[in-house]
Amino acid sequence: MLQIGDAAPDFEVKDQNGAPVKMSDFRGKKVVLYFYPKDDTPGCTAQACNLRDNYDALLAKGYVVLGVSIDDEKSHQKFIQKFDLPFPLLADTEHEIVEKYGVWQEKSMYGRKYMGTMRYTFVIDEEGKIEDIITKVDTKNHTAQLLK
């Protein structure tokens, strides 16, 4: 598992529009890299809308916000349009980022075990180092956790 102070693993995937996005492109900027299980589900929508509603406060603090799930570009486009999300969503369909960041883990629902994306957020500093890892995300108040 990654720790605070570790270098954030680099990656290259496509955003909702098919444009390539690399972690290394954001050197010199602070990044909120948030992982969520699935587009347009209750908890994921609450989290995305909380970040949307407080987006100006995050920008004012110098943050770039990137959402990551294993959903494809088309799913991300619908999610962004439906909820007017102002930040990019990365389509990690090959599980590259979720594996590198250690968020692809065994989960359990109704006694059934399966692999899925953990709802974790990594705050990455201007040098590309992990500044904070939030593993207990409050979906309705996530921005407050970031700006504490």
Side-chain angles (χ1 to χ4, degrees), residues 125-136:
D125 71 14
E126 296 88 343
E127 273 91 63
K129 298 258 189 273
I130 298 170
E131 191 174 272
D132 195 10
I133 303 170
I134 301 169
T135 58
K136 290 184 177 13

Side-chain angles (χ1 to χ4, degrees), residues 64-81:
V64 171
V65 177
L66 301 171
V68 182
S69 83
I70 61 168
D71 294 309
D72 64 19
E73 296 160 29
K74 192 173 198 167
S75 176
H76 284 342
Q77 287 172 354
K78 287 181 189 170
F79 191 38
I80 286 170
Q81 287 169 350

Side-chain angles (χ1 to χ4, degrees), residues 84-105:
D84 196 27
L85 304 179
F87 44 82
L89 298 178
L90 307 184
D92 190 24
T93 56
E94 302 297 315
H95 298 197
E96 178 189 348
I97 313 174
V98 294
E99 295 279 355
K100 284 184 176 179
Y101 281 78
V103 302
W104 186 251
Q105 297 181 16

Side-chain angles (χ1 to χ4, degrees), residues 1-135:
M1 183 71 186
L2 292 169
Q3 304 288 321
I4 292 171
D6 287 350
D10 200 14
F11 57 78
E12 181 173 349
V13 297
K14 294 189 182 331
D15 70 8
Q16 72 278 359
N17 299 318
V21 175
K22 289 190 249 179
M23 188 67 225
S24 56
D25 291 342
F26 298 98
R27 285 282 150 77
K29 297 182 178 170
K30 295 188 283 190
V31 178
V32 171
L33 185 68
Y34 85 95
F35 292 88
Y36 65 97
K38 187 147 184 56
D39 289 339
D40 205 3
T41 56
C44 299
T45 298
Q47 182 179 15
C49 290
N50 175 263
L51 293 168
R52 175 201 66 200
D53 294 346
N54 296 285
Y55 192 58
D56 288 340
L58 292 164
L59 290 178
K61 293 284 188 183
Y63 288 109
V64 171
V65 177
L66 301 171
V68 182
S69 83
I70 61 168
D71 294 309
D72 64 19
E73 296 160 29
K74 192 173 198 167
S75 176
H76 284 342
Q77 287 172 354
K78 287 181 189 170
F79 191 38
I80 286 170
Q81 287 169 350
K82 184 173 181 180
F83 295 101
D84 196 27
L85 304 179
F87 44 82
L89 298 178
L90 307 184
D92 190 24
T93 56
E94 302 297 315
H95 298 197
E96 178 189 348
I97 313 174
V98 294
E99 295 279 355
K100 284 184 176 179
Y101 281 78
V103 302
W104 186 251
Q105 297 181 16
E106 186 176 87
K107 299 169 101 174
S108 181
M109 187 185 294
Y110 307 120
R112 187 179 68 87
K113 294 194 182 309
Y114 64 98
M115 294 301 288
T117 303
M118 302 301 289
R119 186 185 308 280
Y120 289 176
T121 297
F122 293 79
V123 180
I124 300 161
D125 71 14
E126 296 88 343
E127 273 91 63
K129 298 258 189 273
I130 298 170
E131 191 174 272
D132 195 10
I133 303 170
I134 301 169
T135 58

